Amino acid sequence: MEEKVGLGRDTDFSRRSLLRTSALIGAGIGAAQLLGAPPALAVGGTANASLDKAIKDIVKGRTIKVGFTPPVLSENFTQIESAAWRKMAEFEKRFGVKWVWERQAPVGDFNAVQGTLGIVQSWISRRFDAIAVCTGANFATVQDLYKTANSKGLKVFQFNQPAELYPESELATVSNIGYDNRWQSGYLAGTYLAKALGGKGKIIQIWGPSGSDWTRGRRIGFDKALAENPGIKVVGEADGGYVRDKGFTAAQDLLTKYPDVNAIYGENEEMALGASQAIDAAGLKHWDGKTGILTIGADGLISGFKKIAEGKLTATVDIGGIDQGQNLIETIFATVALGQTVTQIINNPTQVVDKSNYKWHQAYAQWALDTPRKYGK
Amino acid sequence: MTINIAGRNSSKYLQNRILQDPSFGIFVLLVLAIIVMTFLEPSFATGRNVTNVINAMMTVSFLAIGMTVVLIAGGLDLSVGSTMAVTAGVAGKFIIYGMPMSVAFLCALTIGVGIGCINGLLITKLGIPDFIATLAMLGIGQGVILLWTQGVPILGYMSGAYYYIGGLNKIAGPISIPMIVVVVISVVMTIILKRSKFGLQLYAVGSSPISARNAGVNVDAIKISAYAISGLLAAIAGIHIAGRTTTIPPLIGNGYEISAIAAAVIGGASLLGGKGRMIGALIGALTLTLTRNIINLVGIKSSWQAILTGSVLIGAVLANRASSEFSRKRFRRGKT
Amino acid sequence: MKNQSKFSKMIAIDGVVILAAFVLMVIFFSLKADSFLIPDSIRYYINEAVPIFIIIVGLTFVIIAGGIDLSIGAVLGLSAGTSLTVSMWGWPFWMAVIVGVLTGLAFGLLNAVFTTIFKINDFIVTLGTLNIAAGALTVLTDQIQLTGTKDTSFKRISGMNFLGLTSSIWIALIIVVVFELVLLKSPFGRRIFATGIGQVPALISGINTQRSKFGAYLISGGLAGLGGVLLASHLNSVQSGLAGGYELTAIAGAVLGGVSLAGGRGSVWRAIVGALFLTTLNQGLLLMGVDPLIFQIVTGLCILVGVVIDRAVYKFALTFSTQTRESNSQFLRGKRFSL
């Protein structure tokens, strides 16, 4: 359990409290906005006007050029990007900073890493101020590229990246805004599942593409949960490639072999949703709190929350995508515009979301998605 | 010729007929695999698994049928996966925009046929090699659907009826709508290929475009129709897969062109043209789907999947070749 | 009439059209994208494209011989994996090079045996070996994390600098020149052309078509292996799916450069110009900040237009060049062989 404590270790509260002088955590802003609160509140209305003015004087209306590259285009990364836009709009209003935002994603699957390298290199050539990367590319390879960027005076940030799997000293980034895949995702899902099943049962796991860092991280966490709950037996596992139809067919095949399983773990939400469909297709029963097949994923997508509401997905780990997007912008602003120093690892809160608490997570994600697409193309 | 007629009733003729069947080799392998699996894995030969496999092979079946038609005409269509994604997107988005399902489907089918016609025109009228024309179309289609959706999966088009079209809800017992559609299309296409003038012309164009042209066949028109049929079937596959996955990620069609070509070729179609059958396409689709099903059931590590698929592809073609070589040798021996 | 024939002579020179299109594009991008002509960025993207330049050489041999090799991308990825693996085990760099090249050669041999001895269609065989190579890399990366070797000499294979260019660019240049000479000047090269133009004329002239095709696949496999070594040395890490899809870029580039998929026509440097066109297009669009989602559409259209123009010019040149023997032989340079 010692490791679990680690999640708070790096959370960078001091920087946060400066920029969020209204002492609102992200969730509060979201909820307030949705309740129809006046925009002033949403943009930190209780913030100290003289503080805003002081920062404005330093910023001097400068433009910050940000390149944002997710590994693929998907609902998850759209949510993170929208959340970033929220924060950009807020800071533009409060501090007079102007943003140039360019989102470029390599076309293909998580393996289209050469594309990411080309995109980052082009931003280096074009002298962007900040580059935000999430990629399936190999750790060592991208660090070399980041070093090139650093030598040209660019600041590189990673988001949603399993940086925790590598020695912090080898990171060439300014900061990693993410979460710990081991203890804030895989472990949470495993313990939730074990607790719901009463510590006893047979489960199926559907993993992402073999060898990906996210899969490695989450597996470490899930395995720990399994070690703590010896009554839970993994009877089958398959590769769902992070996509729904593969998760569906994999779950369907495994459910044929083990129709008596108690739970299915989808390493990401798309695959968990595919598994949920396979349960329907096989005419089996969804988890109702006591019996049926429990399904749990990880991401925190709007489409997942909808399925939780319908009772077709038992739970998911919200990996804090909205907080990641906002914190990414805060970190970029703090380092690029104000010249502050931040910690290398900034982990955001995550939580298992089920029927009991999905509503505020859903509202929070929806709040981010409702951003006008001002900074996109 | 005389030998054939003389031996028509003899069992030897029948044996040769079966052995020379272009997909006999893979058929034997399939039967063997099924027998072994039945003993090895109790859940394999269950009704549920059989329906799973049949439902899972529907998408590839549609594409493989279309691909077989193109291959018969001596062409190649790499754009089917991306056409499938585009038409799935059209069906889904148009339903969300408020169109009735039938209208949305009609639009999707029209666009599928349209893409097929463009492929055909590029190849016949502009003389672009089929590999390149359809490869470019693959990229263009993928770009269009990505731009349109901005990479975000399409959600919220599912309705009660769509669950039936996706085969998630069955109409009677294990029978689903896609199964009926596949059967109907293969029967109709078989009749067209074997009995109609168009079918004959298709084989003629694929076997030898020059002799077909000399015989007065409008080669270009036949080729364009073949690509249009492939586009139509890609659209049907698109409408179907949108229902099966209940969400349309823009890259949903990635790699399906390869599965379709592999299925058609395993089923006896030739990339040199002039060969191919509907039943072959279905056998090919079944082979690919069973491979994956067996991998999952036996619990082989999923990282081995690609190696096995590649080996099955080459093995199937070798097996088909071996059975026909074997029969030819027997035939020769019988003659002397 | 004289003017026309001069004009036809000019455009009939190998690859002049695609070269002109390439130059126009470079001018366009240097005006539109401000950082396009920065030496650093040019060096970077050319360096990144080296593996494609290397596999396109072998691919050109295979296509001219009337075949096609879809496996090169996956084989390149696998060779990168095997060479980095042995380097991480502590083997000397030259052993890593040998292992990588041998991996490629093994797949080249597999392709050659199945296509020429078992006579299975080239497309199907290489599609099968594509899957096998890609799968083997997945299995390999599943076993070992290929996150880099400590051996600096392995990294230096691609990273040394001569006269401002990296060693991998120099290696690619040497390969292009050597293999272009082999293709156009050696008896083996002539046999490759003869094989692609048609089995019958080749048979009449006593050429063993199967043997030359066999050779073409071995070259393709071996070069894919070498490309893999360079990529592994450059990235110093390998992961599943590496170089997937490179074969399509290479094929499109070769065709754009006027290598005919029907066999018997083309040359290495034309294929290289085709590949350079596609990679430069990609780089220019990136630097202009165009959404990569549009890239594929633009690339697709460029390929279509390029091939149409290439064909039109070819036909045009054919019509006019029949008037003079001289220009005939010029534009048919690729096709020249003795029956």
Side-chain angles (χ1 to χ4, degrees):
Chain A
M1 290 308 283
E2 278 311 303
E3 293 90 334
K4 243 188 96 185
V5 183
L7 66 93
R9 169 189 69 159
D10 309 301
T11 314
D12 182 13
F13 284 110
S14 57
R15 183 187 49 77
R16 263 190 177 196
S17 46
L18 167 69
L19 294 169
R20 285 188 184 156
T21 38
S22 47
L24 289 174
I25 61 159
I29 303 176
Q33 178 79 347
L34 272 166
L35 292 170
L41 180 65
V43 295
T46 57
N48 187 331
S50 63
L51 168 67
D52 283 11
K53 166 89 177 41
I55 294 178
K56 214 172 196 166
D57 291 343
I58 289 182
V59 171
K60 291 198 198 90
R62 72 168 284 189
T63 302
I64 300 178
K65 272 178 149 178
V66 186
F68 176 88
T69 177
V72 287
L73 289 170
S74 71
E75 202 179 345
N76 184 29
F77 294 105
T78 305
Q79 288 184 187
I80 294 178
E81 190 183 12
S82 306
W85 289 345
R86 276 274 172 204
K87 189 54 78 182
M88 281 153 65
E90 178 192 331
F91 281 8
E92 182 165 347
K93 198 160 187 191
R94 282 176 65 188
F95 309 128
V97 59
K98 292 189 188 67
W99 302 93
V100 170
W101 181 261
E102 196 166 300
R103 187 254 284 133
Q104 297 203 343
V107 174
D109 57 11
F110 278 86
N111 286 326
V113 297
Q114 303 295 97
T116 305
L117 303 183
I119 288 166
V120 172
Q121 180 66 37
S122 87
W123 285 332
I124 297 175
S125 302
R126 292 164 66 200
R127 296 287 190 273
F128 271 44
D129 297 302
I131 297 176
V133 184
C134 177
T135 177
N138 204 292
F139 178 79
T141 309
V142 290
Q143 301 313 317
D144 284 347
L145 189 58
Y146 297 162
K147 279 175 199 149
T148 317
N150 294 342
S151 69
K152 306 250 157 95
L154 283 81
K155 291 193 160 57
V156 183
F157 303 80
Q158 289 190 126
F159 60 95
N160 199 47
Q161 191 76 24
E164 65 274 8
L165 297 179
Y166 297 95
E168 207 177 305
S169 57
E170 287 176 22
L171 284 162
T173 44
V174 173
S175 184
N176 285 268
I177 296 91
Y179 60 99
D180 191 315
N181 279 274
R182 296 165 301 184
W183 321 121
Q184 285 186 271
S185 181
Y187 181 79
L188 288 188
T191 40
Y192 177 90
L193 183 149
K195 197 173 163 219
L197 297 181
K200 220 164 85 49
K202 290 194 229 171
I203 65 164
I204 290 172
Q205 294 172 317
I206 300 170
W207 296 100
S210 27
S212 103
D213 280 350
W214 294 279
T215 304
R216 281 205 302 138
R218 288 172 189 178
R219 197 190 272 273
I220 293 169
F222 203 98
D223 284 351
K224 177 127 197 308
L226 287 176
E228 289 169 9
N229 295 280
I232 303 290
K233 289 271 171 293
V234 179
V235 290
E237 50 182 293
D239 180 348
Y242 282 147
V243 291
R244 196 177 300 196
D245 58 336
K246 276 196 196 158
F248 174 51
T249 27
Q252 211 174 25
D253 289 343
L254 289 172
L255 280 176
T256 307
K257 193 169 176 183
Y258 313 102
D260 56 340
V261 291
N262 307 99
I264 305 178
Y265 170 58
E267 191 221 308
N268 82 345
E269 208 157 300
E270 283 289 336
M271 297 190 294
L273 291 170
S276 151
Q277 251 162 260
I279 293 174
D280 281 334
L284 297 166
K285 200 166 145 285
H286 286 285
W287 183 253
D288 61 4
K290 287 187 186 67
T291 57
I293 300 175
L294 185 150
T295 40
I296 182 164
D299 271 346
L301 309 177
I302 286 286
S303 53
F305 296 141
K306 279 185 187 145
K307 290 287 170 189
I308 290 177
E310 288 169 23
K312 301 219 174 216
L313 181 68
T314 313
T316 190
V317 180
D318 187 334
I319 54 149
I322 309 303
D323 285 336
Q324 285 187 48
Q326 298 200 71
N327 273 337
L328 174 67
I329 297 303
E330 284 188 10
T331 315
I332 290 174
F333 184 78
T335 50
V336 175
L338 304 182
Q340 286 186 296
T341 302
V342 293
T343 50
Q344 184 59 260
I345 308 277
I346 299 179
N347 282 333
N348 293 276
T350 67
Q351 182 171 33
V352 176
V353 179
D354 61 11
K355 246 188 166 144
S356 67
N357 61 348
Y358 79 90
K359 277 191 180 144
W360 78 261
H361 284 272
Q362 186 177 16
Y364 190 27
Q366 195 59 51
W367 166 78
L369 285 173
D370 288 340
T371 321
R373 312 215 142 203
K374 184 177 170 188
Y375 302 101
K377 273 188 287 198
Chain B
M1 223 35 204
T2 47
I3 296 159
N4 268 3
I5 292 163
R8 176 144 287 202
N9 295 322
S10 73
S11 66
K12 194 145 202 176
Y13 171 77
L14 197 68
Q15 280 175 14
N16 272 318
R17 197 54 217 276
I18 294 171
L19 279 170
Q20 273 182 345
D21 188 284
S23 31
F24 179 71
I26 184 61
F27 188 74
V28 171
L29 285 186
L30 266 183
V31 171
L32 277 178
I34 288 169
I35 292 172
V36 170
M37 277 304 291
T38 309
F39 283 104
L40 212 67
E41 178 54 56
S43 62
F44 179 74
T46 55
R48 177 181 285 168
N49 194 47
V50 173
T51 42
N52 278 355
V53 168
I54 294 177
N55 271 312
M57 70 180 263
M58 290 297 116
T59 314
V60 177
S61 301
F62 287 123
L63 297 175
I65 289 172
M67 186 65 72
T68 303
V69 174
V70 170
L71 288 176
I72 291 173
L76 177 71
D77 191 351
L78 293 176
S79 72
V80 288
S82 128
T83 306
M84 179 177 94
V86 170
T87 49
V90 168
K93 280 269 189 189
F94 283 13
I95 288 174
I96 296 171
Y97 294 158
M99 281 188 199
M101 197 184 250
S102 53
V103 180
F105 286 178
L106 205 62
C107 292
L109 295 174
T110 315
I111 287 172
V113 173
I115 295 175
C117 286
I118 296 174
N119 281 334
L121 287 170
L122 289 173
I123 291 158
T124 55
K125 301 299 177 194
L126 292 179
I128 303 175
D130 38 27
F131 188 100
I132 295 300
T134 55
L135 177 63
M137 192 54 82
L138 184 162
I140 294 172
Q142 215 175 60
V144 166
I145 184 80
L146 275 168
L147 266 184
W148 189 18
T149 59
Q150 282 298 305
V152 183
I154 304 170
L155 293 163
Y157 55 86
M158 289 302 286
S159 59
Y162 218 142
Y163 279 94
Y164 285 95
I165 291 162
L168 295 178
N169 287 354
K170 315 280 187 287
I171 43 173
I175 307 293
S176 66
I177 287 185
M179 292 182 198
I180 297 172
V181 177
V182 161
V183 170
V184 169
I185 291 179
S186 356
V187 170
V188 170
M189 280 309 300
T190 305
I191 294 171
I192 291 177
L193 288 178
K194 298 289 173 203
R195 298 271 175 264
S196 78
K197 193 177 152 202
F198 172 73
L200 279 177
Q201 290 179 333
L202 207 59
Y203 281 102
V205 166
S207 313
S208 168
I210 298 170
S211 353
R213 185 168 285 133
N214 290 341
V217 177
N218 185 344
V219 173
D220 287 2
I222 297 292
K223 272 209 150 176
I224 295 170
S225 333
Y227 282 99
I229 291 173
S230 172
L232 176 71
L233 277 148
I236 294 175
I239 290 170
H240 162 69
I241 200 168
R244 183 172 159 80
T245 57
T246 68
T247 155
I248 309 167
L251 295 177
I252 195 167
N254 264 20
Y256 268 99
E257 60 283 346
I258 298 302
S259 306
I261 296 171
V265 170
I266 289 174
S270 161
L271 280 146
L272 300 174
K275 275 191 207 156
R277 300 176 306 167
M278 292 303 111
I279 183 77
L282 297 186
I283 289 177
L286 178 64
T287 310
L288 294 181
T289 314
L290 262 187
T291 309
R292 211 221 46 248
N293 179 254
I294 290 173
I295 288 172
N296 280 344
L297 285 188
V298 177
I300 298 171
K301 262 198 113 178
S302 54
S303 46
W304 285 86
Q305 185 160 326
I307 297 185
L308 284 171
T309 313
S311 312
V312 164
L313 176 60
I314 295 180
V317 177
L318 270 182
N320 287 341
R321 178 71 51 82
S323 78
S324 62
E325 290 278 323
F326 178 66
S327 85
R328 205 175 332 145
K329 277 192 186 133
R330 264 174 55 128
F331 192 71
R332 280 210 199 107
R333 236 182 295 140
K335 210 167 80 172
T336 47
Chain C
M1 216 51 188
K2 238 185 176 173
N3 278 345
Q4 272 166 330
S5 109
K6 244 186 202 163
F7 177 64
S8 73
K9 247 194 243 175
M10 201 177 70
I11 58 167
I13 295 171
D14 266 344
V16 86
V17 176
I18 182 71
L19 201 60
F22 175 69
V23 171
L24 282 179
M25 186 176 65
V26 168
I27 295 171
F28 173 79
F29 281 133
S30 36
L31 295 177
K32 286 282 174 187
D34 39 2
S35 36
F36 182 74
L37 283 182
I38 295 174
D40 262 6
S41 93
I42 296 176
R43 248 197 303 267
Y44 178 83
Y45 92 85
I46 298 283
N47 206 25
E48 291 293 296
V50 159
I52 289 183
F53 293 149
I54 289 181
I55 54 173
I56 209 171
V57 174
L59 180 73
T60 306
F61 273 72
V62 172
I63 295 181
I64 292 178
I68 190 149
D69 193 346
L70 298 175
S71 69
I72 40 179
V75 170
L76 187 139
L78 179 62
S79 307
T82 53
S83 65
L84 188 61
T85 305
V86 297
S87 178
M88 282 169 68
W89 287 346
W91 294 20
F93 79 95
W94 52 272
M95 278 302 285
V97 175
I98 292 175
V99 166
V101 175
L102 281 182
T103 310
L105 276 176
F107 274 86
L109 186 67
L110 216 57
N111 290 334
V113 167
F114 279 116
T115 51
T116 62
I117 296 175
F118 291 99
K119 301 219 167 44
I120 304 178
N121 183 281
D122 307 70
F123 188 97
I124 295 304
V125 170
T126 56
L127 184 59
T129 48
L130 181 165
N131 273 297
I132 294 172
L137 180 62
T138 312
V139 172
L140 179 67
T141 49
D142 208 22
Q143 304 293 327
I144 324 164
Q145 285 278 313
L146 297 175
T147 47
T149 172
K150 300 255 180 316
D151 180 7
T152 45
S153 50
F154 183 73
K155 289 185 226 167
R156 282 163 59 93
I157 299 172
S158 67
M160 281 181 297
N161 257 308
F162 294 111
L163 309 170
L165 296 177
T166 59
S167 43
S168 60
I169 294 179
W170 283 112
I171 292 172
L173 267 174
I174 293 168
I175 283 172
V176 168
V177 171
V178 168
F179 281 90
E180 179 76 325
L181 289 175
V182 169
L183 184 65
L184 296 182
K185 301 288 177 204
S186 79
F188 173 70
R190 279 197 289 279
R191 283 201 293 274
I192 295 276
F193 277 105
T195 306
I197 282 174
Q199 309 273 353
V200 180
L203 279 177
I204 294 169
S205 59
I207 287 167
N208 186 339
T209 54
Q210 297 307 330
R211 203 190 288 164
S212 26
K213 210 171 170 187
F214 201 100
Y217 275 111
L218 279 186
I219 291 175
S220 184
L223 286 181
L226 181 64
V229 174
L230 291 181
L231 188 60
S233 150
H234 170 58
L235 295 176
N236 197 22
S237 69
V238 169
Q239 60 195 140
S240 158
L242 184 74
Y246 274 26
E247 66 280 355
L248 294 180
T249 313
I251 293 171
V255 171
L256 204 53
V259 180
S260 163
L261 281 179
R265 179 187 164 219
S267 64
V268 171
W269 89 269
R270 293 182 61 161
I272 293 285
V273 177
L276 203 55
F277 183 91
L278 288 180
T279 46
T280 309
L281 178 69
N282 189 68
Q283 172 73 358
L285 292 174
L286 261 182
L287 289 180
M288 277 175 72
V290 175
D291 191 335
L293 304 186
I294 303 175
F295 283 21
Q296 282 179 303
I297 301 180
V298 177
T299 312
L301 290 176
C302 276
I303 293 172
L304 289 179
V305 173
V307 174
V308 169
I309 293 177
D310 180 67
R311 272 191 66 92
V313 167
Y314 186 68
K315 265 189 190 164
F316 180 77
L318 195 65
T319 322
F320 283 100
S321 60
T322 44
Q323 292 157 4
T324 57
R325 284 191 84 92
E326 196 191 348
S327 61
N328 190 10
S329 75
Q330 255 203 349
F331 100 91
L332 278 179
R333 180 182 296 166
K335 264 197 175 177
R336 197 169 46 192
F337 68 100
S338 52
L339 269 179

